[in-house]
């Protein structure tokens, strides 16, 4: 799901566009599931995803790149300049009372 590479962390995400709010909600197969509030029109959902990942990982938005899957729900992202451990710590939700929260 999240691995180190020579330039940063590479992660697989499953994106659910047009959600009530943008949030990380857990695991979907071998991917991290992220809901984004934006609709999947004209790249708005991708932009919202990149902003969310950058903000949560405390990196500039330009440091988050979609490597594959820009047109689908399953995407491979690279977060430059951070480790996989950092990405996991900042994105992985905690589970409380049967509800997944970030």
């Amino acid at each position: 799901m999240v691995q180190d590479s020579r330039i940063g962390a590479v992660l697989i995400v499953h994106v659910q566009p047009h959600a009530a709010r943008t949030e990380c909600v857990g695991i979907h197969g071998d991917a991290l599931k992220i809901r984004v509030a934006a609709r999947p029109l004209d790249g708005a959902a991708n932009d919202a995803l990149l902003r969310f990942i950058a903000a949560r990982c405390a990196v500039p938005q330009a440091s988050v790149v979609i490597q594959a899957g820009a047109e689908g729900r399953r995407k491979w992202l690279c977060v430059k300049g951070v480790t996989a451990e950092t990405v996991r710590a900042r994105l992985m939700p905690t589970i409380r009372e049967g509800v997944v929260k970030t």
Side-chain angles (χ1 to χ4, degrees):
M1 172 177 11
V2 183
Q3 298 178 347
D4 285 313
S5 74
R6 61 181 175 80
I7 60 171
V10 176
L11 64 147
I12 302 170
V13 297
H14 177 85
V15 179
Q16 178 186 342
H18 198 53
R21 63 181 165 267
T22 301
E23 61 186 343
C24 180
V25 293
I27 306 299
H28 182 82
D30 64 345
L32 188 60
K33 185 172 182 179
I34 299 177
R35 293 182 181 145
V36 294
R39 293 176 180 242
L41 301 172
D42 300 322
N46 285 343
D47 291 342
L49 173 66
L50 297 178
R51 281 192 308 274
F52 176 74
I53 299 288
R56 291 295 297 267
C57 293
V59 298
Q61 188 173 335
S63 294
V64 184
V65 178
I66 298 175
Q67 292 185 314
E71 299 288 320
R73 287 182 178 224
R74 186 176 173 87
K75 302 174 190 306
W76 282 260
L77 304 177
C78 179
V79 183
K80 298 176 186 175
V82 296
T83 65
E85 183 177 334
T86 299
V87 171
R88 277 191 294 272
R90 293 179 182 233
L91 289 179
M92 297 299 269
T94 58
I95 300 175
R96 294 187 187 149
E97 299 174 17
V99 178
V100 178
K101 298 182 181 181
T102 55

XYZ file of all heavy atoms in Angstrom:
760
model
N 0.819 -1.187 0.000
C 0.000 0.000 0.000
C 0.870 1.262 0.000
O 0.653 2.131 -0.802
C -0.932 -0.055 1.199
C -1.683 1.176 1.426
S -2.861 1.118 2.774
C -2.508 -0.370 3.618
N 1.865 1.351 0.903
C 2.805 2.477 0.919
C 4.208 1.897 0.999
O 4.492 1.086 1.874
C 2.576 3.422 2.117
C 3.520 4.604 2.054
C 1.145 3.893 2.189
N 5.071 2.312 0.055
C 6.444 1.813 0.025
C 7.408 2.955 -0.195
O 7.056 3.968 -0.809
C 6.623 0.802 -1.104
C 5.779 -0.431 -0.982
C 5.978 -1.368 -2.157
O 6.548 -1.008 -3.172
N 5.505 -2.590 -2.005
N 8.623 2.774 0.287
C 9.676 3.755 0.031
C 10.214 3.579 -1.386
O 10.276 2.466 -1.900
C 10.832 3.583 1.030
C 10.487 4.120 2.404
O 9.959 5.246 2.474
O 10.746 3.423 3.392
N 10.569 4.683 -2.000
C 11.262 4.668 -3.283
C 12.456 5.601 -3.147
O 12.625 6.256 -2.118
C 10.347 5.132 -4.422
O 10.154 6.525 -4.378
N 13.239 5.718 -4.184
C 14.437 6.563 -4.093
C 14.111 8.045 -4.001
O 14.919 8.835 -3.539
C 15.394 6.287 -5.242
C 14.831 6.548 -6.598
C 15.840 6.220 -7.707
N 15.240 6.372 -9.003
C 15.070 7.519 -9.628
N 15.475 8.633 -9.058
N 14.493 7.578 -10.801
N 12.895 8.448 -4.414
C 12.554 9.876 -4.362
C 11.499 10.220 -3.317
O 11.201 11.384 -3.088
C 12.098 10.398 -5.742
C 10.866 9.646 -6.229
C 13.220 10.332 -6.745
C 10.240 10.240 -7.465
N 10.922 9.214 -2.679
C 9.900 9.475 -1.674
C 9.069 8.234 -1.421
O 9.534 7.120 -1.604
N 7.836 8.435 -1.027
C 6.923 7.327 -0.741
C 5.965 7.140 -1.911
O 5.467 8.108 -2.485
C 6.137 7.610 0.522
N 5.723 5.889 -2.263
C 4.768 5.547 -3.312
C 3.596 4.852 -2.643
O 3.782 3.948 -1.828
C 5.415 4.622 -4.367
C 4.392 4.185 -5.392
C 6.589 5.312 -5.040
N 2.392 5.313 -2.957
C 1.222 4.707 -2.348
C 0.133 4.460 -3.375
O 0.059 5.144 -4.399
C 0.685 5.554 -1.197
C 0.143 6.931 -1.498
C -0.988 7.247 -0.537
C 1.235 7.958 -1.306
N -0.676 3.463 -3.071
C -1.834 3.137 -3.899
C -3.056 3.640 -3.159
O -3.217 3.376 -1.960
C -1.951 1.619 -4.122
C -0.682 1.078 -4.790
C -3.180 1.293 -4.963
C -0.616 -0.433 -4.825
N -3.904 4.372 -3.856
C -5.134 4.873 -3.240
C -6.344 4.487 -4.074
O -6.257 4.352 -5.298
C -5.110 6.413 -3.032
C -4.020 6.810 -2.077
C -4.972 7.152 -4.334
N -7.446 4.278 -3.413
C -8.743 4.081 -4.055
C -9.544 5.329 -3.717
O -9.781 5.619 -2.534
C -9.440 2.828 -3.524
C -10.796 2.628 -4.095
N -11.012 2.002 -5.300
C -12.017 3.000 -3.646
C -12.316 1.991 -5.564
N -12.942 2.590 -4.570
N -9.940 6.082 -4.733
C -10.592 7.374 -4.517
C -12.098 7.258 -4.740
O -12.544 6.693 -5.738
C -10.004 8.442 -5.464
C -10.691 9.780 -5.259
C -8.516 8.565 -5.253
N -12.855 7.803 -3.815
C -14.308 7.895 -3.954
C -14.649 9.370 -4.101
O -14.642 10.114 -3.123
C -15.010 7.317 -2.740
C -16.518 7.427 -2.828
C -17.193 6.982 -1.546
O -16.607 6.296 -0.721
N -18.436 7.389 -1.391
N -14.929 9.824 -5.321
C -15.248 11.238 -5.525
C -16.676 11.577 -5.094
O -17.495 10.698 -4.874
C -15.074 11.419 -7.034
C -15.320 10.074 -7.609
C -14.892 9.074 -6.565
N -16.937 12.877 -5.003
C -18.259 13.429 -4.701
C -18.787 12.947 -3.353
O -19.961 12.622 -3.193
C -19.232 13.114 -5.843
C -20.466 13.982 -5.823
N -20.421 15.347 -5.789
C -21.769 13.643 -5.817
C -21.647 15.814 -5.772
N -22.489 14.802 -5.781
N -17.904 12.909 -2.360
C -18.285 12.520 -1.003
C -18.728 13.763 -0.231
O -18.566 14.894 -0.683
C -17.092 11.866 -0.306
N -19.256 13.552 0.947
C -19.685 14.674 1.779
C -18.505 15.538 2.209
O -18.621 16.746 2.330
C -20.431 14.158 3.007
N -17.350 14.886 2.464
C -16.140 15.628 2.839
C -14.918 14.828 2.403
O -15.009 13.632 2.161
C -16.106 15.914 4.333
C -16.042 14.697 5.202
C -16.046 15.052 6.684
N -16.329 13.888 7.485
C -17.530 13.520 7.901
N -18.573 14.255 7.579
N -17.698 12.449 8.626
N -13.786 15.489 2.345
C -12.539 14.836 1.979
C -11.918 14.255 3.239
O -11.699 14.967 4.215
C -11.583 15.835 1.298
O -12.233 16.346 0.125
C -10.286 15.162 0.901
N -11.655 12.934 3.199
C -11.106 12.252 4.361
C -10.542 10.896 3.972
O -10.916 10.321 2.964
C -12.188 12.062 5.427
C -13.356 11.215 4.950
C -14.496 11.128 5.940
O -14.285 11.442 7.127
O -15.595 10.749 5.521
N -9.651 10.411 4.793
C -9.114 9.069 4.668
C -10.009 8.163 5.495
O -10.266 8.464 6.665
C -7.677 9.040 5.172
S -6.939 7.418 5.056
N -10.527 7.085 4.899
C -11.511 6.276 5.608
C -11.071 4.851 5.884
O -11.813 4.115 6.517
C -12.871 6.270 4.871
C -13.496 7.644 4.910
C -12.738 5.763 3.465
N -9.894 4.446 5.443
C -9.441 3.101 5.760
C -8.775 2.420 4.590
O -8.198 3.057 3.711
N -8.898 1.100 4.579
C -8.240 0.263 3.582
C -9.288 -0.300 2.636
O -10.370 -0.720 3.064
C -7.482 -0.893 4.262
C -6.523 -0.364 5.330
C -6.743 -1.742 3.237
C -5.450 0.547 4.828
N -8.958 -0.333 1.346
C -9.823 -0.921 0.320
C -8.952 -1.898 -0.458
O -8.185 -1.491 -1.332
C -10.383 0.177 -0.590
C -11.320 -0.337 -1.635
N -12.638 -0.589 -1.364
C -11.126 -0.651 -2.934
C -13.226 -1.030 -2.465
N -12.325 -1.079 -3.423
N -9.017 -3.172 -0.110
C -8.132 -4.164 -0.728
C -6.695 -3.882 -0.327
O -6.359 -3.876 0.852
N -5.848 -3.590 -1.328
C -4.449 -3.267 -1.040
C -4.175 -1.771 -1.175
O -3.039 -1.352 -1.323
C -3.511 -4.062 -1.948
C -3.678 -3.692 -3.416
O -4.682 -3.046 -3.772
O -2.797 -4.057 -4.213
N -5.237 -0.981 -1.117
C -5.109 0.467 -1.307
C -5.676 1.218 -0.107
O -6.514 0.707 0.635
C -5.843 0.899 -2.569
N -5.230 2.440 0.050
C -5.769 3.343 1.054
C -6.998 4.021 0.447
O -6.929 4.551 -0.661
C -4.714 4.386 1.404
C -4.993 5.313 2.552
C -5.179 4.526 3.845
C -3.838 6.278 2.709
N -8.135 3.967 1.120
C -9.359 4.564 0.580
C -9.478 6.005 1.056
O -9.447 6.281 2.256
C -10.598 3.787 0.988
C -11.862 4.333 0.340
C -13.052 3.454 0.587
C -14.275 4.010 -0.113
N -15.446 3.162 0.095
N -9.627 6.901 0.091
C -9.783 8.318 0.389
C -11.028 8.832 -0.321
O -11.193 8.634 -1.523
C -8.540 9.120 -0.050
C -7.316 8.612 0.710
C -8.760 10.613 0.177
C -6.025 9.268 0.322
N -11.889 9.454 0.453
C -13.071 10.108 -0.126
C -12.712 11.561 -0.386
O -12.089 12.205 0.453
C -14.240 10.048 0.848
C -14.760 8.670 1.083
C -15.946 8.710 2.037
N -16.415 7.359 2.279
C -16.898 6.946 3.430
N -16.981 7.778 4.447
N -17.296 5.708 3.564
N -13.131 12.084 -1.527
C -12.915 13.504 -1.819
C -14.260 14.153 -2.124
O -15.128 13.556 -2.750
C -11.913 13.740 -2.981
C -10.518 13.287 -2.599
C -12.345 13.053 -4.251
N -14.408 15.377 -1.666
C -15.674 16.085 -1.835
C -15.904 16.535 -3.273
O -17.037 16.731 -3.685
C -15.722 17.288 -0.889
N -14.848 16.693 -4.034
C -14.963 17.190 -5.410
C -15.549 16.130 -6.341
O -15.391 14.932 -6.128
C -13.591 17.618 -5.924
N -16.200 16.615 -7.374
C -16.725 15.731 -8.412
C -15.594 15.353 -9.373
O -14.645 16.104 -9.527
C -17.827 16.428 -9.202
C -19.063 16.683 -8.385
C -20.065 17.460 -9.207
N -21.246 17.703 -8.420
C -22.447 17.241 -8.757
N -22.611 16.554 -9.855
N -23.477 17.485 -7.981
N -15.733 14.222 -10.053
C -14.690 13.797 -10.985
C -14.821 14.465 -12.357
O -14.853 13.801 -13.388
C -14.908 12.285 -11.068
C -16.375 12.124 -10.869
C -16.757 13.199 -9.867
N -14.911 15.776 -12.363
C -15.051 16.518 -13.609
C -13.848 17.435 -13.801
O -13.456 18.148 -12.874
C -16.329 17.374 -13.590
C -17.639 16.619 -13.406
C -18.779 17.595 -13.205
C -17.905 15.720 -14.592
N -13.269 17.424 -14.984
C -12.154 18.310 -15.331
C -10.990 18.223 -14.335
O -10.337 19.219 -14.047
C -12.621 19.761 -15.443
C -13.690 19.947 -16.508
O -13.588 19.280 -17.564
O -14.611 20.738 -16.284
N -10.767 17.050 -13.771
C -9.648 16.863 -12.866
C -9.840 17.408 -11.464
O -8.905 17.417 -10.670
N -11.050 17.839 -11.136
C -11.297 18.436 -9.815
C -11.058 17.438 -8.684
O -10.498 17.791 -7.645
C -12.717 18.989 -9.735
N -11.466 16.188 -8.858
C -11.266 15.186 -7.806
C -9.771 14.896 -7.631
O -9.298 14.745 -6.507
C -12.031 13.908 -8.129
N -9.032 14.826 -8.724
C -7.583 14.613 -8.625
C -6.913 15.778 -7.904
O -6.044 15.572 -7.051
C -6.957 14.430 -10.011
C -7.243 13.067 -10.598
O -7.622 12.134 -9.901
N -7.068 12.945 -11.901
N -7.310 16.994 -8.237
C -6.746 18.173 -7.575
C -7.036 18.156 -6.076
O -6.161 18.450 -5.262
C -7.285 19.468 -8.189
C -6.782 19.702 -9.600
O -5.766 19.075 -9.995
O -7.399 20.516 -10.315
N -8.261 17.789 -5.718
C -8.635 17.720 -4.301
C -7.821 16.639 -3.589
O -7.377 16.836 -2.454
C -10.126 17.444 -4.160
N -7.608 15.515 -4.253
C -6.808 14.443 -3.680
C -5.376 14.903 -3.433
O -4.831 14.700 -2.348
C -6.809 13.227 -4.616
C -5.882 12.080 -4.224
C -6.349 11.431 -2.922
C -5.800 11.071 -5.353
N -4.771 15.556 -4.413
C -3.394 16.022 -4.276
C -3.267 17.057 -3.159
O -2.316 17.019 -2.369
C -2.884 16.590 -5.596
C -2.805 15.592 -6.763
C -2.325 16.298 -8.019
C -1.952 14.402 -6.430
N -4.224 17.969 -3.069
C -4.216 18.969 -1.987
C -4.320 18.302 -0.620
O -3.612 18.652 0.322
C -5.356 19.979 -2.159
C -5.085 21.063 -3.173
C -6.113 22.188 -3.086
N -7.493 21.736 -3.137
C -8.169 21.521 -4.265
N -7.594 21.718 -5.442
N -9.419 21.128 -4.220
N -5.209 17.319 -0.507
C -5.413 16.612 0.753
C -4.144 15.872 1.186
O -3.706 16.004 2.324
C -6.581 15.623 0.619
C -6.805 14.772 1.826
C -7.383 15.302 2.968
C -6.436 13.434 1.831
C -7.597 14.511 4.092
C -6.631 12.644 2.947
C -7.217 13.180 4.083
N -3.560 15.116 0.271
C -2.344 14.355 0.588
C -1.217 15.312 0.978
O -0.507 15.091 1.968
C -1.910 13.479 -0.604
C -2.984 12.455 -0.964
C -0.561 12.806 -0.323
C -3.153 11.324 -0.008
N -1.042 16.388 0.217
C 0.024 17.359 0.505
C -0.178 17.984 1.885
O 0.774 18.094 2.669
C 0.066 18.437 -0.571
N -1.389 18.375 2.199
C -1.660 19.000 3.500
C -1.415 18.022 4.644
O -0.773 18.377 5.641
C -3.099 19.514 3.546
N -1.897 16.799 4.509
C -1.728 15.807 5.580
C -0.268 15.404 5.764
O 0.158 15.114 6.867
C -2.564 14.559 5.288
C -4.054 14.768 5.382
C -4.544 15.114 6.784
N -4.321 14.084 7.758
C -5.187 13.137 8.076
N -6.363 13.110 7.497
N -4.877 12.243 8.980
N 0.499 15.390 4.669
C 1.913 14.987 4.740
C 2.845 16.175 4.942
O 4.058 16.005 5.003
C 2.308 14.219 3.484
S 1.477 12.620 3.363
N 2.302 17.383 5.009
C 3.070 18.614 5.233
C 4.155 18.812 4.184
O 5.306 19.101 4.505
C 3.655 18.630 6.642
N 3.763 18.641 2.922
C 4.670 18.883 1.802
C 3.975 19.823 0.819
O 2.745 19.938 0.833
C 5.069 17.572 1.075
C 5.814 16.631 2.011
C 3.864 16.877 0.465
N 4.734 20.494 -0.055
C 4.085 21.314 -1.079
C 3.255 20.433 -2.012
O 3.588 19.266 -2.232
C 5.256 21.931 -1.844
C 6.443 21.757 -0.971
C 6.178 20.574 -0.112
N 2.197 20.998 -2.556
C 1.336 20.231 -3.455
C 2.109 19.701 -4.655
O 1.821 18.614 -5.143
C 0.150 21.076 -3.926
C -0.874 20.268 -4.696
C -2.115 21.051 -5.028
O -2.452 22.007 -4.353
N -2.794 20.653 -6.080
N 3.126 20.425 -5.102
C 3.943 19.978 -6.239
C 4.734 18.718 -5.910
O 5.225 18.041 -6.822
C 4.888 21.092 -6.665
N 4.841 18.366 -4.640
C 5.568 17.159 -4.236
C 4.713 15.896 -4.309
O 5.213 14.798 -4.088
C 6.100 17.307 -2.808
O 7.073 18.321 -2.759
N 3.443 16.047 -4.605
C 2.543 14.901 -4.720
C 2.177 14.752 -6.193
O 1.607 15.667 -6.791
C 1.278 15.077 -3.862
C 0.407 13.827 -3.928
C 1.639 15.403 -2.425
N 2.504 13.595 -6.753
C 2.330 13.375 -8.196
C 1.556 12.080 -8.431
O 1.837 11.063 -7.788
C 3.710 13.272 -8.890
C 3.555 13.007 -10.367
C 4.524 14.529 -8.645
N 0.595 12.131 -9.340
C -0.103 10.915 -9.760
C 0.780 10.236 -10.802
O 1.004 10.781 -11.882
C -1.489 11.216 -10.351
C -2.378 11.879 -9.300
C -2.136 9.926 -10.876
C -3.733 12.330 -9.818
N 1.281 9.041 -10.474
C 2.140 8.316 -11.399
C 1.347 7.476 -12.377
O 1.764 7.268 -13.501
C 3.116 7.420 -10.629
C 4.141 8.195 -9.846
C 5.159 7.277 -9.212
O 4.801 6.260 -8.613
N 6.411 7.643 -9.333
N 0.207 6.968 -11.945
C -0.633 6.144 -12.805
C -2.058 6.184 -12.279
O -2.287 6.366 -11.085
C -0.130 4.710 -12.831
N -3.016 6.024 -13.195
C -4.410 5.931 -12.811
C -5.162 7.237 -12.720
O -6.212 7.294 -12.094
N -4.678 8.274 -13.357
C -5.316 9.591 -13.265
C -6.773 9.575 -13.715
O -7.582 10.362 -13.232
C -4.534 10.622 -14.078
N -7.134 8.663 -14.599
C -8.509 8.619 -15.119
C -9.429 7.695 -14.335
O -10.626 7.699 -14.554
C -8.483 8.156 -16.584
C -7.695 9.070 -17.506
C -8.399 10.382 -17.760
O -9.628 10.383 -17.926
O -7.707 11.409 -17.784
N -8.882 6.909 -13.415
C -9.696 5.942 -12.685
C -9.733 6.214 -11.196
O -9.162 7.185 -10.702
N -10.387 5.324 -10.479
C -10.475 5.467 -9.027
C -9.207 4.975 -8.331
O -8.876 5.439 -7.257
C -11.665 4.674 -8.485
C -12.978 5.314 -8.820
C -14.109 4.505 -8.226
N -15.370 5.167 -8.520
C -16.326 5.325 -7.630
N -16.186 4.870 -6.410
N -17.432 5.929 -7.957
N -8.543 3.996 -8.922
C -7.320 3.431 -8.338
C -6.121 4.184 -8.900
O -5.912 4.210 -10.107
C -7.238 1.952 -8.673
C -6.117 1.227 -8.017
C -6.218 -0.252 -8.374
N -5.088 -0.984 -7.903
C -4.983 -1.518 -6.692
N -5.962 -1.367 -5.833
N -3.902 -2.176 -6.341
N -5.341 4.778 -8.014
C -4.231 5.628 -8.442
C -2.953 5.254 -7.704
O -2.988 4.841 -6.552
C -4.537 7.096 -8.154
C -5.805 7.577 -8.837
C -6.164 8.974 -8.430
C -7.531 9.373 -8.913
N -7.806 9.247 -10.301
N -1.826 5.432 -8.378
C -0.509 5.284 -7.780
C 0.056 6.684 -7.637
O 0.173 7.413 -8.616
C 0.410 4.444 -8.658
C 0.140 2.975 -8.566
C 0.838 2.068 -7.833
C -0.883 2.232 -9.225
N 0.299 0.821 -7.999
C -0.755 0.887 -8.844
C -1.925 2.586 -10.102
C -1.609 -0.100 -9.307
C -2.762 1.601 -10.552
C -2.600 0.273 -10.153
N 0.374 7.070 -6.407
C 0.886 8.407 -6.127
C 2.313 8.325 -5.615
O 2.689 7.348 -4.961
C 0.036 9.098 -5.056
C -1.457 9.247 -5.294
C -2.110 9.890 -4.084
C -1.713 10.075 -6.515
N 3.067 9.371 -5.853
C 4.390 9.515 -5.256
C 4.377 10.798 -4.440
O 3.977 11.852 -4.941
C 5.474 9.588 -6.321
S 7.122 9.799 -5.616
N 4.788 10.682 -3.183
C 4.930 11.846 -2.314
C 6.433 12.043 -2.142
O 7.096 11.273 -1.435
C 4.228 11.646 -0.956
C 4.330 12.912 -0.120
C 2.771 11.244 -1.151
N 6.949 13.034 -2.818
C 8.392 13.258 -2.839
C 8.891 13.831 -1.520
O 8.241 14.676 -0.919
C 8.761 14.221 -3.970
C 8.406 13.693 -5.342
C 8.697 14.717 -6.406
C 8.213 14.236 -7.749
N 8.368 15.260 -8.779
N 10.062 13.329 -1.096
C 10.730 13.891 0.065
C 10.275 13.385 1.422
O 10.679 13.927 2.441
N 9.416 12.371 1.443
C 8.985 11.791 2.711
C 9.137 10.273 2.653
O 9.215 9.694 1.579
C 7.521 12.154 3.074
C 7.350 13.630 3.286
C 6.560 11.641 2.039
N 9.145 9.651 3.809
C 9.247 8.195 3.868
C 7.863 7.565 3.911
O 6.873 8.229 4.244
C 10.033 7.760 5.114
O 9.284 8.142 6.270
C 11.425 8.378 5.155
N 7.821 6.283 3.610
C 6.561 5.545 3.693
C 6.020 5.568 5.119
O 4.819 5.692 5.335
C 6.772 4.114 3.211
N 6.910 5.486 6.092
C 6.493 5.522 7.499
C 5.791 6.836 7.834
O 4.762 6.852 8.519
C 7.717 5.339 8.400
C 7.383 5.284 9.862
C 8.606 5.042 10.724
O 9.589 4.455 10.255
O 8.554 5.463 11.895
N 6.318 7.944 7.326
C 5.694 9.250 7.563
C 4.314 9.315 6.933
O 3.356 9.784 7.557
C 6.592 10.372 6.996
O 7.845 10.331 7.660
C 5.951 11.738 7.183
N 4.190 8.835 5.700
C 2.896 8.852 5.016
C 1.889 8.000 5.774
O 0.753 8.433 6.002
C 3.036 8.377 3.557
C 1.678 8.178 2.908
C 3.872 9.362 2.757
N 2.295 6.814 6.184
C 1.379 5.945 6.952
C 0.924 6.638 8.238
O -0.253 6.633 8.567
C 2.057 4.617 7.282
C 1.992 3.606 6.169
C 2.444 2.232 6.635
N 3.851 2.191 6.984
C 4.828 1.938 6.125
N 4.539 1.702 4.862
N 6.080 1.910 6.523
N 1.850 7.246 8.947
C 1.510 7.900 10.217
C 0.546 9.065 10.024
O -0.318 9.310 10.868
C 2.783 8.388 10.896
N 0.670 9.775 8.916
C -0.158 10.963 8.710
C -1.481 10.700 7.999
O -2.401 11.497 8.100
C 0.631 12.015 7.955
C 1.778 12.534 8.793
C 2.581 13.540 8.053
N 3.697 13.964 8.875
C 3.968 15.219 9.149
N 3.219 16.180 8.667
N 4.993 15.518 9.898
N -1.568 9.581 7.274
C -2.783 9.307 6.512
C -3.653 8.205 7.084
O -4.858 8.212 6.878
C -2.440 8.936 5.063
C -1.923 10.047 4.181
C -1.608 9.500 2.793
C -2.919 11.177 4.060
N -3.047 7.257 7.757
C -3.821 6.103 8.198
C -4.818 6.510 9.272
O -4.462 7.171 10.236
C -2.900 5.016 8.745
C -1.948 4.479 7.693
S -2.775 3.731 6.316
C -2.847 2.080 6.904
N -6.053 6.123 9.101
C -7.080 6.495 10.081
C -6.984 5.662 11.349
O -6.384 4.599 11.367
C -8.374 6.189 9.336
C -8.005 5.094 8.411
C -6.574 5.357 7.998
N -7.579 6.171 12.378
C -7.716 5.399 13.611
C -9.157 4.918 13.690
O -10.069 5.569 13.194
C -7.388 6.257 14.846
O -8.254 7.385 14.851
C -5.945 6.705 14.841
N -9.329 3.789 14.296
C -10.675 3.220 14.393
C -11.156 3.379 15.837
O -10.504 2.936 16.767
C -10.684 1.741 13.979
C -10.213 1.608 12.530
C -12.056 1.138 14.175
C -10.061 0.196 12.058
N -12.291 4.044 15.981
C -12.875 4.275 17.304
C -14.358 3.902 17.260
O -15.096 4.368 16.406
C -12.737 5.739 17.700
C -11.302 6.130 17.888
C -11.215 7.523 18.442
N -9.799 7.895 18.443
C -9.358 9.114 18.293
N -10.205 10.100 18.139
N -8.079 9.362 18.311
N -14.746 3.086 18.191
C -16.147 2.715 18.355
C -16.764 2.217 17.061
O -17.905 2.539 16.731
C -16.944 3.892 18.899
C -16.457 4.361 20.253
C -17.161 5.624 20.697
O -18.221 5.956 20.138
O -16.655 6.276 21.629
N -16.014 1.429 16.287
C -16.538 0.844 15.067
C -16.641 1.787 13.900
O -17.100 1.405 12.836
N -16.233 3.035 14.065
C -16.294 4.012 12.991
C -14.886 4.418 12.645
O -14.080 4.693 13.516
C -17.110 5.265 13.413
C -17.127 6.294 12.302
C -18.520 4.876 13.792
N -14.580 4.447 11.351
C -13.250 4.840 10.912
C -13.196 6.361 10.843
O -14.044 6.990 10.202
C -12.912 4.231 9.544
C -11.538 4.685 9.085
C -12.976 2.731 9.603
N -12.231 6.961 11.542
C -12.085 8.413 11.541
C -10.648 8.773 11.240
O -9.743 7.988 11.465
C -12.451 8.997 12.909
C -13.882 8.753 13.298
C -14.169 9.395 14.616
C -15.620 9.130 15.014
N -15.953 9.740 16.271
N -10.410 10.001 10.767
C -9.052 10.472 10.565
C -8.698 11.455 11.631
O -9.511 12.031 12.296
C -8.892 11.154 9.193
O -9.856 12.184 9.072
C -9.052 10.158 8.086
